[in-house]
Amino acid sequence: MSDLSDLYQQVILDHYKRPRNFRRLDEANRKAEGHNPLCGDEITVYLHLDGDVIKDISFEGAGCAISKASASMMTAALKGRTRGEAETLFEKFHEMVTGHRDGTADPAGLGKLEVFCGVSEFPVRVKCASLAWHTLRAALEGSGGTVSTE
Amino acid sequence: MIPAGRQVAGEVCNDCLVGFGVERIRQDFPALQVRVHGKPLVYLDNAATSQKPQVVIDRITRYYLSENSNIHRGVHFLSDLATQAYESTRDRVRQFLNAAHDREIIFTRGTTEGINLVAHSFGRSRVRAGDEVVISAMEHHSNIVPWQMLREEKGATLRVIPVNDAGELLLEEYERLLCDRTRLVAVTYVSNALGTVNPVKPMIAMAHRRGIPVLVDGAQAAPHLAVDVQDLDCDFFAFSGHKLCGPTGIGILYGKADLLESMPPYQGGGDMISAVTFEKTLYNSLPYKFEAGTPHIAGVIGLGAAIEYVQRIGLPRIAAYEADLLAYGTELLSAIPGLRIIGTAKEKASVLSFVLDGIHAHDTGTILDHEGIAIRAGHHCAMPVMKRFGVPATARASLAFYNTREELEALAKGLHKVIEVFA
């Protein structure tokens, strides 16, 4: 049986209650909105891209603990990383939360984001965990539209 | 038909709550015996869909085992049997709604299709540019979007009856919205998101004084209130079988015969015709004019068994029992710190919609699920009403006559656990 404490880990609850980089980014040159119509989660991801490097990143929005904590920890993990690194991290993250990876501890280099591995036991919450990342991808691609999980 | 040897709940009881016999009623529902995450299921998502009693499951099985055939076509034994079962359900539905004629009962896929039928057939033939359709601020998307589609096509206008902070319609505002351009009022009887029971009877009378027909969305009303379409004097009444202990994919549209007669068909195909040549088609009479194609025969027959089951318990008794449950649930939830009930109308049925301070409904739903408690978390397909109350989502516990006070206590206990996780 999936364990509730695997999902609602202290780190996740901490990021939910005190989200990092939770603000509008005035110097942003990329931005995208994400929406999960199933539960009403809404998020805006702001990026300050300097060439290929994510110089700064922030987010705003409302959502459940999983989606908000995921957005918060994503911004913390990506500051100073390159676009390519961000893409790779998203792929690894997605494999982890959808339960499509094999193997032992942290083979993917996800670091603190490993805390979301419990999500794979809660299939209906995968969209919550990945909303921020889908929105990030839209911001990186500069498509400017609204991303929806549906 | 109730299989022999199987007792039906409620037969021995009178109209007192003590004798409601909920424990016996629960025995009729196999799904209520399921365990979830090692705990007994507490099913409080009845506004989404109800569980099915064994008699309904058995009736559908019997149809497929020994009566399966197409209707209105064959001269053979099985077809005759299936046709009789199908048409006797139409008569049962007529009695259930107290409609005047069997031909006023149209089988649909559900409430949504019933409303779409009216929007397409009545709406497209009667609504012109500049005309208006009046709906309310607490409608389900299925009673908003079909009218928006009609608006886009015809250049019509949608007017919305506002609600107060308790979730009650403002009737004075409603009266002001009715005018010479109003072609239809489409309003829900019971709100799926708030539980409000709207005063549809006086609202219908107000519209009729101006000659405006009224469609009532009865999806949440049919399982909880005794409905009498002649007493209400509504022009259309739509509901779904699956919220009423019946199968999914089957519903009813009631319409007054003279209105239905004057409306063009909704879909073309078999059963809705009386004669077809390549030059011209003569449409069938009511109700078949609106039932194109082979219908959901098993669903109709299953719905008949569901209505028979519900009628044996009796909707007045169900309403009284559920009112007691709702009052108890309201009391329990009101005592939980940081919990706010959304929808506090004086007249309510079966729905406890709420938010917890600092905790998203989706998280509440996941944690309750781990306690075996099934609720709905989200916007309940009523995003405009969520916006009206300034919340992106609510958690919703919705009751049925097979729920118990103990289950509401389990819900309250579960909510304390939710608060603990987020403490």
Side-chain angles (χ1 to χ4, degrees):
Chain A
M1 187 184 115
S2 50
D3 192 342
L4 210 53
S5 57
D6 287 344
L7 184 66
Y8 293 106
Q9 299 199 33
Q10 280 310 317
V11 181
I12 290 180
L13 291 171
D14 177 60
H15 275 265
Y16 171 57
K17 290 175 194 163
R18 282 176 294 277
R20 323 295 198 265
N21 307 305
F22 188 61
R23 63 195 162 89
R24 199 189 147 80
L25 193 63
D26 289 333
E27 51 287 15
N29 49 15
R30 294 283 175 87
K31 144 185 147 163
E33 286 168 14
H35 185 209
N36 180 350
L38 204 67
C39 51
D41 290 353
E42 283 174 348
I43 183 177
T44 305
V45 170
Y46 299 94
L47 279 181
H48 181 196
L49 267 187
D50 185 6
D52 235 15
V53 177
I54 298 171
K55 209 167 168 195
D56 207 354
I57 176 170
S58 74
F59 79 105
E60 285 183 314
C64 65
I66 305 305
S67 79
K68 207 163 179 181
S70 176
S72 172
M73 293 187 72
M74 177 188 80
T75 60
L78 291 184
K79 217 177 272 193
R81 302 267 203 141
T82 66
R83 213 183 148 121
E85 286 171 335
E87 288 283 357
T88 308
L89 218 47
F90 180 21
E91 275 166 35
K92 303 286 182 196
F93 183 84
H94 200 257
E95 281 169 14
M96 174 179 70
V97 295
T98 51
H100 288 118
R101 69 170 196 193
D102 46 4
T104 49
D106 200 10
L110 281 165
K112 287 178 183 169
L113 298 174
E114 280 284 336
V115 77
F116 287 99
C117 71
V119 172
S120 65
E121 298 293 321
F122 295 81
V124 296
R125 306 307 298 273
V126 169
K127 285 175 180 172
C128 309
S130 49
L131 176 64
W133 290 88
H134 282 291
T135 313
L136 165 81
R137 181 178 272 173
L140 283 171
E141 286 166 358
S143 48
T146 300
V147 179
S148 172
T149 57
E150 293 304 298
Chain B
M1 291 273 288
I2 310 294
R6 192 171 173 84
Q7 283 209 302
V8 173
E11 278 182 320
V12 293
C13 316
N14 293 316
D15 55 354
C16 62
L17 295 179
V18 181
F20 189 72
V22 68
E23 285 309 324
R24 252 191 64 205
I25 287 173
R26 291 178 67 80
Q27 298 303 314
D28 295 334
F29 291 83
L32 295 180
Q33 323 305 324
V34 165
R35 292 182 75 84
V36 175
H37 304 303
K39 299 188 173 111
L41 168 68
V42 174
Y43 187 76
L44 298 173
D45 195 17
N46 295 289
T49 197
S50 67
Q51 296 301 341
K52 320 304 172 200
Q54 187 71 49
V55 286
V56 169
I57 300 164
D58 288 347
R59 186 65 192 89
I60 294 168
T61 305
R62 199 174 89 212
Y63 164 72
Y64 279 126
L65 283 177
S66 60
E67 300 167 17
N68 178 56
S69 191
N70 212 328
I71 53 164
H72 303 147
R73 285 160 175 78
V75 291
H76 56 80
F77 177 78
L78 283 189
S79 176
D80 188 39
L81 211 57
T83 303
Q84 278 183 36
Y86 183 87
E87 289 303 330
S88 70
T89 297
R90 199 187 305 276
D91 188 55
R92 184 169 287 284
V93 174
R94 182 196 60 73
Q95 290 170 35
F96 181 68
L97 295 176
N98 192 35
H101 311 286
D102 278 5
R103 67 178 194 280
E104 297 179 316
I105 305 299
I106 316 282
F107 291 117
T108 64
R109 280 192 298 139
T111 310
T112 298
E113 191 180 49
I115 296 171
N116 274 278
L117 189 160
V118 176
H120 274 254
S121 172
F122 176 88
R124 293 170 91 187
S125 60
R126 306 285 178 96
V127 175
R128 308 258 173 274
D131 286 348
E132 298 182 0
V133 173
V134 173
I135 61 173
S136 89
M138 65 174 82
E139 296 310 315
H140 188 281
H141 295 162
S142 61
N143 199 26
I144 300 173
V145 182
W147 309 115
Q148 285 176 331
M149 291 164 76
L150 183 68
R151 176 183 69 185
E152 301 313 313
E153 186 182 323
K154 296 290 183 178
T157 304
L158 262 190
R159 300 278 179 214
V160 182
I161 314 163
V163 298
N164 64 18
D165 291 340
E168 295 161 327
L169 294 181
L170 300 175
L171 293 186
E172 286 174 14
E173 299 288 329
Y174 165 62
E175 187 141 42
R176 270 199 281 277
L177 291 177
L178 300 174
C179 69
D180 296 344
R181 294 181 300 278
T182 313
R183 290 291 161 266
L184 183 77
V185 173
V187 68
T188 190
Y189 200 158
V190 176
S191 157
N192 73 311
L194 306 172
T196 310
V197 180
N198 288 319
V200 290
K201 190 176 172 182
M203 290 175 75
I204 290 163
M206 282 156 80
H208 282 179
R209 278 198 289 276
R210 289 175 170 274
I212 303 162
V214 179
L215 175 146
V216 175
D217 172 351
Q220 298 295 339
H224 305 292
L225 314 169
V227 173
D228 181 332
V229 291
Q230 292 190 80
D231 178 58
L232 291 175
D233 200 23
C234 56
D235 301 275
F236 300 105
F237 187 96
F239 72 96
S240 299
H242 72 96
K243 296 185 201 288
L244 187 69
C245 301
T248 55
I250 191 69
I252 299 296
L253 175 71
Y254 157 84
K256 283 183 180 166
D258 53 344
L259 259 174
L260 292 175
E261 296 282 8
S262 70
M263 286 158 49
Y266 167 49
Q267 293 179 329
D271 233 27
M272 56 77 71
I273 53 89
S274 63
V276 177
T277 65
F278 284 112
E279 287 70 42
K280 188 176 166 45
T281 289
L282 283 177
Y283 300 132
N284 206 338
S285 55
L286 286 179
Y288 312 108
K289 183 172 85 174
F290 291 107
E291 292 178 4
T294 295
H296 184 9
I297 303 166
V300 167
I301 292 170
L303 173 62
I307 291 178
E308 185 177 355
Y309 177 82
V310 168
Q311 282 179 322
R312 286 199 187 212
I313 300 173
L315 271 163
R317 292 178 63 222
I318 286 173
Y321 177 77
E322 289 181 356
D324 178 70
L325 269 190
L326 183 66
Y328 186 57
T330 305
E331 184 189 318
L332 287 176
L333 262 53
S334 302
I336 294 172
L339 186 146
R340 179 161 65 104
I341 293 179
I342 306 291
T344 50
K346 279 190 205 79
E347 297 295 328
K348 267 188 78 169
S350 136
V351 169
L352 283 161
S353 213
F354 58 91
V355 290
L356 284 168
D357 261 356
I359 304 173
H360 192 279
H362 215 164
D363 296 309
T364 303
T366 294
I367 297 168
L368 288 178
D369 176 59
H370 261 248
E371 300 299 309
I373 304 167
I375 59 148
R376 171 99 184 255
H379 53 58
H380 317 301
C381 300
M383 288 169 88
V385 79
M386 295 288 108
K387 199 171 173 191
R388 164 63 180 78
F389 285 89
V391 291
T394 71
R396 180 188 69 186
S398 52
L399 314 173
F401 57 85
Y402 45 65
N403 288 127
T404 65
R405 286 179 155 239
E406 290 72 27
E407 289 181 308
L408 291 170
E409 287 157 10
L411 170 67
K413 207 171 148 201
L415 288 170
H416 282 291
K417 186 146 190 177
V418 173
I419 293 167
E420 225 170 81
V421 169
F422 278 83

